[in-house]
Amino acid sequence: MNRYFRELSVTGALVLLLAVLAIWAPHFYQPQPLLSRFTAQTPALILTIGMTLVMIVRQIDISVGAQFGVCAVVAGLISASGAPLIVALAAALAAGAIMGALNGVLIAWMGLPSIVVSLATMVTWAELLRLFQQGKFINLPANVQWFGLSQSAGQQGLIFGSVLLLAGVSWLLKNRSGGRHIYAVGSDAEAARLAGINPKLTTFTVFVIMGTLAGLAAVLNMVQSPQVDPKCGVALELRAIAAAVVGGVAVSGGRGRLWGSFAGLLLLATINPALTFLHVEAYWEKAIQGLVILLAVIADGLRSRRQTS
Amino acid sequence: MSSQNSRSIKSLLLRHEVLLVLVLVLEIFYFLNNARNFGTPDNLSNIVRHSAEIGLLALAMMPVILTGGIDLSVGSLLGLCAVLFGVMTHDWHWATLPAAFVTILLGGLAGAFNATLITALRLPPLIVTLGTYSLFRGLAEAITQGTKTYRSFDPGFLGLGEFRFLGLPLQGWVLGFAALFFGILVHLTVFGRSFRAIGYSPEGTRYAGIPVLRRTAMPYILAGLTAAVAALLFTARLQQARADAGTGYELAAITAVVLGGTSIFGGSGTVYGTLTGIAAIAILSNGISRVPAVLKAGIGGELASLLTGALLLLALAAPALVRLLQSARKQPTT
Amino acid sequence: MNPAPGTLPTPPVSPGGPPLFRLSQVTKSFGAVRALRNVSFELAPGEVHALLGENGAGKSTLIKVITGAHQPDGGLLEFEGREVSHLTPTRARQLGIACIYQQPALFPDLSVAENIGLRLEPPGSFSRVNWQQRHQQARELLTRIGAAIDPETEVRALSMPEQQLVEIACALGSGAKLVVMDEPTASLTRTEQELLFGVVRDLRASGVGVIYISHRLEEIFALADRVTVLRDGESVATRSVRDADGTSTLTEAELIRMMVGREVAAIYPPRTATFGQTVLGIDNLSCAAGGVREVSLEVRAGEVFGLAGLVGAGRTELARVLFGITPADSGTIRLNGHTIRVGNPQEAVEHGVAYVPEDRRRHGVILPLPIAHNMTMAIHRRFFPGTWLRFGREESLASEFIQKLGIKAYGPAAPGGSLSGGNQQKVSLARWLATEPRLLILDEPTQGVDVGAKSEIHKIIRDLAAEGLAVLMISSDLPEVLGMSDRIGIMQGGRLVHVLDGATATADAVMTAALAAA
């Protein structure tokens, strides 16, 4: 059971928090608000899936929030022009894949550090977006919100779809050789090369997947409201990184599981409502998020130190 | 073969800095001709005033990157320090001077917190400072409850924001002093030597009997102190302290450092290069917002940031591109 | 199940058949150093062929040529009778050449089963991963080599010998026709060794050719059909270990003579006769993490104390304990009669201990930095009072050392990486001489250094000793140890097992002591 220690401890913390809420703030469990709250997390969940892959392959991507914003505006403008949703989705996915590929080229083939590359692309995309859109919201046609369905049907669809995607990627990661190659490259790129795996190609592919998922997440975000806010992606990358780190994905690569990141995301997402329900001021959310990240890395650091000595 | 290599790296570095100065000259030349009121003395001191905070952070970031590390938390720390200063002067009714002193001290403590996690626990700087990036900003938001803005500071303190000595605004003096301090630290003392050695090879530096952990900690502590000083300047200039002060400044600082020719992998770089990087960014953002067409569209800030981002990407990719071109040219002959 | 050592049946080689693998007249140089000179070597299918030689005789280079990691400068490689012109690691694997290195190349974060699976499965991207099959395959392979390792454990949780067993399982599973084993038993326990011998015999019986590198002579007698001895990058001789009816045709003494068989030339500087006070005294020094066990020795002023032994015998580890990189758990270190504590390198430097490390490029010199900066690195505090750099002073110190040690560089500002190996070594030496040490520890001072620089370094060492420095010199170069040392300590398994007088010691004696079974 030691193998699942990190994932289980995060899940344990989540269950504990939910139990606290059940006792002291049972309002939290009213179905409709709970459903809405969960739905609001689906875009972050999709990004977390991608970020988990990126971190397993021993990289990081800070530009996903900006990519998300660009894709949201692309999808929003296309939808606003009256094109069917599927066209908007395809465009968003393509835009995301292109941005991811740019990161991938610079990081995988030019060997530049992912932190600085993605910082630079983050600034570039974010400013391009500001320049282009000037902060203006995009009004969407009525049939876009909730795919033209009722709100609860749309919410259930989103939740079902994104959890299905999580399960699917999780399965691929475990049961297809490509998924195992991500772990292998993140664990030891040189050993991977000796085993006949192409580390550059693997890293590049992961960044393209990350970008594509950012496009998907942007569309899932779009259908939740009647407008597109061009600033909707701000700080989302932090949420995704925090979820993965808390969920046991090692910054040093090669380790981590999607369901751990999922539990990490839910834990972080529950902190804010928990604060409100427990009458703690909600302004502490970001500080607590930072603290949770630090605690998670400190715990990992201490554990790996004990293992090596 | 290896001698050839290192010489070509050296010439590349030379080229990089020469290139940057060239960009700087072109910028100035272009803006003098095309930007409204760019060359006036008033505008020059404006440039200095507006670039001081990011400039300070960049100067402090330079030694951090020289050791092969990074500090993403400086922008958030600026916000936290600004808010703490507001709390001390407003809520606790402290006098300006002791409050400023304690603010700087707290900034140093925050830097020491980063340093401890990175050196004593050997955690990666990237993820530690990403955590404190969120933590410091979050604390600032919690203290101000997200909305509170501290205004009406001591007029003497606010006067500092406009203060000039020998025609140079106070910010210019502070920036100049910081440049001198970091320049001396990096280039003229054994500390700078150690930073460089650690950036190239922490293991090798340990084998030379240099206290690697202590030396690695120093730049992070200095970065904390500097962020606090920048917070004070920021508060004096804008006449207010808010939780979102300095958002995104860490990026601008890193950009200035990398643009200025410091290797993101650590080891090589100059403070003079960083200063040039700061100047290039400051002049770009000031000048571009004075170009009539940009002014009319009101997109100065965005355009400047966009160009900065693109410039950073180019600066990053340039050495790799040159390497690729060189090896492509070499391949057929060998 | 397996026949007892020494009673192996004759190898199943068809006498007239082509050899599995043949190297003819292979040459390989690294800069000025000739690592291999006209090496010829042949391996039959179903043969265990041992490679024997001192450290630095060219064995590792030869292995790298066989596995495609190095391209030879000249010579011919043939596999199954066909010439192989451009051997790469991938091509070698395709041909069926597998190698078990001393340092396993495994994925620490993944399970044993997965490590084996990733090596053996074809690297398609969308093929299904059959976990059941992976586990079964891993279990089978591990059982075949008799290793009690759970396929589900993560590799990072395994000990070094266990990781090596996983490597062996990979080689076994890959169906290789030629397996190179580079000191596979170096870190194995007795039982694990026996298991490994069983595997080697199985491989041999199934027609696989095995190249077996080991320093343990008894293993060679137990396992090998033939043995080729390398010396100074040349293949000295290839001999059958036993004749057709299984009687031994070779003795240990013969092998040792072939390995060291050359005159120690009189090019070494003469020894000084007088020694001063005891400078370094260590008693029962142990460090579990570093693998040093209860070492006691003394080095006097003016004395060169040579440390001989095999790689991994604990010599470098002892130096690292004395220099505070892996501090001692127990025992005492005395310097000039005072007991000192060495908890980190800074303390060692303060006490006047200097260490010129073995890995020059990683630990000895910071390659991108100018040699002047490298030379003053260990004397920052004393040389730059008040932390202020003094460039003029630094430059004159560097120029002085450049002249004194005969360093060939275009000046004090030349980056360390622009120098040749021997000159880099002198820079590393200069850094430590600048500290004006009382004890100088040299770790392989002339490894990878060309002949001219080598004798210059020897002369410098002797001069330093004559000036009253105590020198502890670790070397795997036997003539160097014999020619330079006043006394020779021989280490094995982390212990100091023998101390010989330098003037009267012979190569045979040192080698015999170093190779003797623990």
Side-chain angles (χ1 to χ4, degrees), chain A residues 4 7 45 48-50 52-53 56 162-180 182-183 209 213 256-262, chain C residues 129 131:
Chain A
Y4 299 116
E7 286 86 354
L45 172 59
T48 303
I49 295 173
T52 303
L53 301 188
I56 290 174
S162 46
V163 172
L164 195 71
L165 184 74
L166 176 88
V169 176
S170 199
W171 185 85
L172 286 173
L173 210 51
K174 174 92 185 167
N175 291 307
R176 289 286 131 171
S177 50
R180 303 319 297 170
I182 295 176
Y183 281 92
I209 294 173
L213 287 175
R257 293 183 178 82
L258 273 175
W259 62 273
S261 303
F262 185 40
Chain C
V129 176
W131 286 96

CSV table of all heavy atoms in Angstrom, one decimal, chain A residues 4 7 45 48-50 52-53 56 162-180 182-183 209 213 256-262, chain C residues 129 131:
chain,number,residue,atom,x,y,z
A,4,TYR,N,0.8,3.6,-3.0
A,4,TYR,CA,-0.3,4.6,-3.2
A,4,TYR,C,-0.4,5.6,-2.1
A,4,TYR,O,-1.3,6.3,-1.9
A,4,TYR,CB,-1.6,3.8,-3.4
A,4,TYR,CG,-1.7,2.9,-4.5
A,4,TYR,CD1,-1.9,1.5,-4.4
A,4,TYR,CD2,-1.5,3.4,-5.8
A,4,TYR,CE1,-1.9,0.7,-5.4
A,4,TYR,CE2,-1.5,2.6,-6.9
A,4,TYR,CZ,-1.7,1.2,-6.7
A,4,TYR,OH,-1.7,0.4,-7.8
A,7,GLU,N,-1.3,9.3,-2.9
A,7,GLU,CA,-2.6,9.5,-3.4
A,7,GLU,C,-3.6,9.2,-2.3
A,7,GLU,O,-4.6,10.0,-2.2
A,7,GLU,CB,-2.9,8.5,-4.6
A,7,GLU,CG,-2.2,8.8,-5.9
A,7,GLU,CD,-0.8,8.3,-6.0
A,7,GLU,OE1,-0.3,7.8,-4.9
A,7,GLU,OE2,-0.1,8.5,-7.0
A,45,LEU,N,-10.1,20.7,-14.2
A,45,LEU,CA,-9.8,19.3,-14.2
A,45,LEU,C,-9.1,18.9,-15.5
A,45,LEU,O,-8.2,18.1,-15.5
A,45,LEU,CB,-11.1,18.5,-14.0
A,45,LEU,CG,-11.0,17.0,-14.1
A,45,LEU,CD1,-10.0,16.4,-13.1
A,45,LEU,CD2,-12.4,16.3,-13.9
A,48,THR,N,-5.7,20.0,-15.4
A,48,THR,CA,-4.9,19.2,-14.5
A,48,THR,C,-4.5,17.9,-15.1
A,48,THR,O,-3.4,17.4,-14.9
A,48,THR,CB,-5.7,18.9,-13.2
A,48,THR,OG1,-6.1,20.2,-12.7
A,48,THR,CG2,-4.9,18.2,-12.2
A,49,ILE,N,-5.3,17.3,-15.9
A,49,ILE,CA,-4.9,16.1,-16.6
A,49,ILE,C,-3.7,16.3,-17.4
A,49,ILE,O,-2.7,15.6,-17.3
A,49,ILE,CB,-6.1,15.6,-17.6
A,49,ILE,CG1,-7.3,15.2,-16.8
A,49,ILE,CG2,-5.6,14.4,-18.4
A,49,ILE,CD1,-8.5,14.9,-17.6
A,50,GLY,N,-3.7,17.4,-18.2
A,50,GLY,CA,-2.5,17.7,-19.1
A,50,GLY,C,-1.3,18.0,-18.2
A,50,GLY,O,-0.2,17.6,-18.5
A,52,THR,N,-0.6,17.0,-15.3
A,52,THR,CA,0.0,15.8,-14.7
A,52,THR,C,0.9,15.1,-15.7
A,52,THR,O,2.0,14.7,-15.3
A,52,THR,CB,-1.2,14.9,-14.3
A,52,THR,OG1,-2.1,15.6,-13.4
A,52,THR,CG2,-0.7,13.6,-13.6
A,53,LEU,N,0.5,15.0,-17.0
A,53,LEU,CA,1.3,14.4,-18.0
A,53,LEU,C,2.6,15.2,-18.1
A,53,LEU,O,3.7,14.6,-18.2
A,53,LEU,CB,0.6,14.4,-19.3
A,53,LEU,CG,-0.7,13.6,-19.4
A,53,LEU,CD1,-1.1,13.5,-20.9
A,53,LEU,CD2,-0.5,12.2,-18.8
A,56,ILE,N,4.8,14.5,-15.2
A,56,ILE,CA,5.4,13.2,-15.2
A,56,ILE,C,6.6,13.1,-16.1
A,56,ILE,O,7.6,12.4,-15.8
A,56,ILE,CB,4.3,12.1,-15.6
A,56,ILE,CG1,3.3,12.0,-14.4
A,56,ILE,CG2,5.0,10.8,-15.8
A,56,ILE,CD1,2.1,11.1,-14.8
A,162,SER,N,-16.1,15.0,-18.5
A,162,SER,CA,-14.7,15.2,-18.1
A,162,SER,C,-14.2,14.1,-17.2
A,162,SER,O,-13.0,13.8,-17.2
A,162,SER,CB,-14.6,16.6,-17.4
A,162,SER,OG,-15.6,16.8,-16.5
A,163,VAL,N,-15.1,13.5,-16.4
A,163,VAL,CA,-14.6,12.4,-15.6
A,163,VAL,C,-14.3,11.2,-16.5
A,163,VAL,O,-13.3,10.5,-16.2
A,163,VAL,CB,-15.7,12.1,-14.5
A,163,VAL,CG1,-15.3,10.8,-13.8
A,163,VAL,CG2,-15.8,13.2,-13.5
A,164,LEU,N,-15.1,11.1,-17.5
A,164,LEU,CA,-14.9,10.0,-18.5
A,164,LEU,C,-13.5,10.2,-19.1
A,164,LEU,O,-12.7,9.3,-19.3
A,164,LEU,CB,-16.0,10.0,-19.5
A,164,LEU,CG,-16.0,8.7,-20.4
A,164,LEU,CD1,-16.6,7.6,-19.6
A,164,LEU,CD2,-16.9,9.0,-21.6
A,165,LEU,N,-13.2,11.4,-19.5
A,165,LEU,CA,-11.9,11.7,-20.1
A,165,LEU,C,-10.8,11.4,-19.1
A,165,LEU,O,-9.8,10.8,-19.5
A,165,LEU,CB,-11.8,13.2,-20.5
A,165,LEU,CG,-10.6,13.6,-21.2
A,165,LEU,CD1,-10.6,13.1,-22.7
A,165,LEU,CD2,-10.3,15.1,-21.2
A,166,LEU,N,-11.0,11.8,-17.9
A,166,LEU,CA,-10.0,11.5,-16.9
A,166,LEU,C,-9.7,10.0,-16.8
A,166,LEU,O,-8.6,9.5,-16.8
A,166,LEU,CB,-10.4,12.0,-15.5
A,166,LEU,CG,-9.5,11.7,-14.3
A,166,LEU,CD1,-8.5,12.7,-14.2
A,166,LEU,CD2,-10.3,11.5,-13.0
A,167,ALA,N,-10.8,9.2,-16.7
A,167,ALA,CA,-10.7,7.8,-16.6
A,167,ALA,C,-10.0,7.2,-17.9
A,167,ALA,O,-9.1,6.4,-17.8
A,167,ALA,CB,-12.1,7.1,-16.5
A,168,GLY,N,-10.4,7.8,-19.1
A,168,GLY,CA,-9.8,7.3,-20.3
A,168,GLY,C,-8.3,7.6,-20.4
A,168,GLY,O,-7.6,6.7,-20.7
A,169,VAL,N,-7.9,8.8,-20.1
A,169,VAL,CA,-6.5,9.1,-20.1
A,169,VAL,C,-5.7,8.3,-19.1
A,169,VAL,O,-4.6,7.8,-19.4
A,169,VAL,CB,-6.3,10.6,-19.9
A,169,VAL,CG1,-4.8,10.9,-19.9
A,169,VAL,CG2,-6.9,11.4,-21.0
A,170,SER,N,-6.4,8.1,-18.0
A,170,SER,CA,-5.8,7.3,-16.9
A,170,SER,C,-5.5,5.9,-17.4
A,170,SER,O,-4.5,5.3,-17.2
A,170,SER,CB,-6.7,7.3,-15.7
A,170,SER,OG,-6.0,7.0,-14.6
A,171,TRP,N,-6.5,5.4,-18.1
A,171,TRP,CA,-6.4,4.0,-18.7
A,171,TRP,C,-5.3,3.9,-19.7
A,171,TRP,O,-4.4,3.0,-19.7
A,171,TRP,CB,-7.7,3.6,-19.2
A,171,TRP,CG,-7.7,2.1,-19.7
A,171,TRP,CD1,-8.0,1.0,-18.9
A,171,TRP,CD2,-7.4,1.7,-21.0
A,171,TRP,NE1,-7.8,-0.1,-19.7
A,171,TRP,CE2,-7.5,0.2,-20.9
A,171,TRP,CE3,-7.1,2.3,-22.2
A,171,TRP,CZ2,-7.3,-0.6,-22.0
A,171,TRP,CZ3,-6.9,1.5,-23.3
A,171,TRP,CH2,-7.0,0.1,-23.2
A,172,LEU,N,-5.3,4.9,-20.6
A,172,LEU,CA,-4.2,5.0,-21.6
A,172,LEU,C,-2.8,5.0,-21.0
A,172,LEU,O,-1.9,4.4,-21.4
A,172,LEU,CB,-4.4,6.2,-22.6
A,172,LEU,CG,-5.6,6.1,-23.5
A,172,LEU,CD1,-5.7,7.5,-24.2
A,172,LEU,CD2,-5.3,5.0,-24.6
A,173,LEU,N,-2.7,5.9,-20.0
A,173,LEU,CA,-1.4,6.1,-19.3
A,173,LEU,C,-0.9,4.8,-18.7
A,173,LEU,O,0.3,4.5,-18.6
A,173,LEU,CB,-1.6,7.1,-18.2
A,173,LEU,CG,-0.5,8.0,-17.9
A,173,LEU,CD1,0.1,8.7,-19.1
A,173,LEU,CD2,-1.0,9.1,-16.9
A,174,LYS,N,-1.9,4.0,-18.3
A,174,LYS,CA,-1.5,2.7,-17.6
A,174,LYS,C,-1.3,1.6,-18.6
A,174,LYS,O,-0.4,0.7,-18.5
A,174,LYS,CB,-2.6,2.4,-16.6
A,174,LYS,CG,-2.4,1.0,-15.9
A,174,LYS,CD,-1.7,1.2,-14.6
A,174,LYS,CE,-1.5,-0.2,-14.0
A,174,LYS,NZ,-0.5,-0.1,-12.9
A,175,ASN,N,-2.1,1.6,-19.7
A,175,ASN,CA,-2.2,0.4,-20.5
A,175,ASN,C,-1.7,0.5,-21.9
A,175,ASN,O,-1.9,-0.4,-22.7
A,175,ASN,CB,-3.6,-0.1,-20.5
A,175,ASN,CG,-4.0,-0.7,-19.1
A,175,ASN,OD1,-3.3,-1.5,-18.6
A,175,ASN,ND2,-5.1,-0.2,-18.6
A,176,ARG,N,-1.2,1.7,-22.3
A,176,ARG,CA,-0.7,1.8,-23.7
A,176,ARG,C,0.8,2.1,-23.6
A,176,ARG,O,1.2,2.9,-22.7
A,176,ARG,CB,-1.4,2.9,-24.5
A,176,ARG,CG,-2.8,2.6,-24.9
A,176,ARG,CD,-2.9,1.6,-26.0
A,176,ARG,NE,-3.8,0.5,-25.6
A,176,ARG,CZ,-4.2,-0.4,-26.5
A,176,ARG,NH1,-3.8,-0.4,-27.7
A,176,ARG,NH2,-5.0,-1.4,-26.0
A,177,SER,N,1.6,1.6,-24.5
A,177,SER,CA,3.0,1.8,-24.3
A,177,SER,C,3.4,3.2,-24.3
A,177,SER,O,4.3,3.7,-23.6
A,177,SER,CB,3.8,1.0,-25.4
A,177,SER,OG,3.2,1.3,-26.7
A,178,GLY,N,2.6,4.0,-25.2
A,178,GLY,CA,2.9,5.5,-25.2
A,178,GLY,C,2.8,6.1,-23.8
A,178,GLY,O,3.7,6.9,-23.4
A,179,GLY,N,1.8,5.7,-23.1
A,179,GLY,CA,1.7,6.2,-21.7
A,179,GLY,C,2.9,5.8,-20.8
A,179,GLY,O,3.4,6.7,-20.1
A,180,ARG,N,3.3,4.6,-21.0
A,180,ARG,CA,4.4,4.2,-20.1
A,180,ARG,C,5.7,4.9,-20.5
A,180,ARG,O,6.6,5.1,-19.7
A,180,ARG,CB,4.7,2.7,-20.2
A,180,ARG,CG,3.5,1.8,-19.9
A,180,ARG,CD,2.7,2.3,-18.7
A,180,ARG,NE,3.5,2.3,-17.4
A,180,ARG,CZ,3.1,2.8,-16.3
A,180,ARG,NH1,1.9,3.5,-16.3
A,180,ARG,NH2,3.8,2.8,-15.2
A,182,ILE,N,5.9,7.9,-21.3
A,182,ILE,CA,6.0,9.2,-20.6
A,182,ILE,C,6.6,9.1,-19.2
A,182,ILE,O,7.5,9.9,-18.8
A,182,ILE,CB,4.5,9.8,-20.5
A,182,ILE,CG1,4.0,10.1,-21.9
A,182,ILE,CG2,4.5,11.0,-19.6
A,182,ILE,CD1,2.5,10.5,-21.9
A,183,TYR,N,6.2,8.0,-18.6
A,183,TYR,CA,6.8,7.7,-17.3
A,183,TYR,C,8.3,7.5,-17.4
A,183,TYR,O,9.2,7.9,-16.6
A,183,TYR,CB,6.2,6.5,-16.6
A,183,TYR,CG,4.9,6.8,-15.9
A,183,TYR,CD1,3.7,6.7,-16.6
A,183,TYR,CD2,4.8,7.3,-14.6
A,183,TYR,CE1,2.5,7.0,-16.0
A,183,TYR,CE2,3.6,7.6,-14.0
A,183,TYR,CZ,2.4,7.4,-14.7
A,183,TYR,OH,1.2,7.7,-14.1
A,209,ILE,N,-0.3,17.6,-26.4
A,209,ILE,CA,-1.5,17.1,-25.7
A,209,ILE,C,-2.0,18.2,-24.7
A,209,ILE,O,-3.2,18.5,-24.6
A,209,ILE,CB,-1.2,15.8,-25.0
A,209,ILE,CG1,-1.0,14.7,-26.0
A,209,ILE,CG2,-2.4,15.4,-24.1
A,209,ILE,CD1,-0.5,13.4,-25.4
A,213,LEU,N,-5.6,19.9,-24.7
A,213,LEU,CA,-6.5,19.9,-23.6
A,213,LEU,C,-6.9,21.3,-23.1
A,213,LEU,O,-8.0,21.5,-22.7
A,213,LEU,CB,-5.8,19.1,-22.4
A,213,LEU,CG,-5.8,17.6,-22.7
A,213,LEU,CD1,-5.0,16.9,-21.5
A,213,LEU,CD2,-7.1,17.0,-22.8
A,256,GLY,N,3.5,9.7,-10.3
A,256,GLY,CA,2.3,10.3,-10.2
A,256,GLY,C,1.2,9.6,-10.9
A,256,GLY,O,1.4,8.8,-11.8
A,257,ARG,N,-0.1,9.8,-10.4
A,257,ARG,CA,-1.2,9.2,-11.0
A,257,ARG,C,-2.3,10.2,-11.2
A,257,ARG,O,-2.4,11.2,-10.4
A,257,ARG,CB,-1.7,8.1,-10.1
A,257,ARG,CG,-0.7,6.9,-10.0
A,257,ARG,CD,-1.3,5.8,-9.2
A,257,ARG,NE,-0.3,4.7,-9.2
A,257,ARG,CZ,0.7,4.7,-8.4
A,257,ARG,NH1,0.9,5.6,-7.5
A,257,ARG,NH2,1.6,3.7,-8.4
A,258,LEU,N,-3.1,10.0,-12.2
A,258,LEU,CA,-4.1,11.0,-12.5
A,258,LEU,C,-5.2,11.1,-11.4
A,258,LEU,O,-5.6,12.2,-11.0
A,258,LEU,CB,-4.8,10.7,-13.8
A,258,LEU,CG,-4.1,11.3,-15.0
A,258,LEU,CD1,-4.8,10.8,-16.3
A,258,LEU,CD2,-4.2,12.8,-15.0
A,259,TRP,N,-5.5,10.0,-10.8
A,259,TRP,CA,-6.5,10.1,-9.7
A,259,TRP,C,-6.0,10.8,-8.5
A,259,TRP,O,-6.8,11.4,-7.8
A,259,TRP,CB,-7.2,8.7,-9.4
A,259,TRP,CG,-6.2,7.7,-8.8
A,259,TRP,CD1,-5.5,6.8,-9.5
A,259,TRP,CD2,-6.0,7.4,-7.4
A,259,TRP,NE1,-4.8,5.9,-8.7
A,259,TRP,CE2,-5.1,6.3,-7.4
A,259,TRP,CE3,-6.5,7.9,-6.2
A,259,TRP,CZ2,-4.7,5.7,-6.2
A,259,TRP,CZ3,-6.1,7.3,-5.0
A,259,TRP,CH2,-5.2,6.3,-5.0
A,260,GLY,N,-4.7,10.8,-8.3
A,260,GLY,CA,-4.1,11.6,-7.2
A,260,GLY,C,-4.3,13.1,-7.5
A,260,GLY,O,-4.7,13.8,-6.6
A,261,SER,N,-4.0,13.5,-8.7
A,261,SER,CA,-4.2,14.9,-9.1
A,261,SER,C,-5.7,15.3,-9.0
A,261,SER,O,-6.0,16.4,-8.6
A,261,SER,CB,-3.7,15.1,-10.6
A,261,SER,OG,-2.4,14.7,-10.7
A,262,PHE,N,-6.5,14.3,-9.4
A,262,PHE,CA,-8.0,14.6,-9.3
A,262,PHE,C,-8.4,14.9,-7.8
A,262,PHE,O,-9.0,15.9,-7.5
A,262,PHE,CB,-8.7,13.4,-9.8
A,262,PHE,CG,-10.2,13.5,-9.9
A,262,PHE,CD1,-10.8,14.7,-10.3
A,262,PHE,CD2,-11.1,12.4,-9.5
A,262,PHE,CE1,-12.2,14.8,-10.4
A,262,PHE,CE2,-12.4,12.6,-9.6
A,262,PHE,CZ,-13.0,13.8,-10.0
C,129,VAL,N,-0.3,-2.6,-23.3
C,129,VAL,CA,0.7,-3.0,-22.3
C,129,VAL,C,0.0,-4.2,-21.6
C,129,VAL,O,-1.1,-4.0,-20.9
C,129,VAL,CB,1.0,-1.9,-21.3
C,129,VAL,CG1,1.9,-2.4,-20.2
C,129,VAL,CG2,1.7,-0.8,-22.0
C,131,TRP,N,0.0,-6.2,-18.7
C,131,TRP,CA,0.6,-6.2,-17.3
C,131,TRP,C,0.8,-7.6,-16.8
C,131,TRP,O,1.8,-7.9,-16.2
C,131,TRP,CB,-0.2,-5.3,-16.4
C,131,TRP,CG,0.0,-3.9,-16.6
C,131,TRP,CD1,-0.8,-3.1,-17.3
C,131,TRP,CD2,1.1,-3.1,-16.2
C,131,TRP,NE1,-0.3,-1.8,-17.4
C,131,TRP,CE2,0.9,-1.8,-16.7
C,131,TRP,CE3,2.3,-3.3,-15.4
C,131,TRP,CZ2,1.8,-0.7,-16.5
C,131,TRP,CZ3,3.2,-2.3,-15.2
C,131,TRP,CH2,2.9,-1.0,-15.7
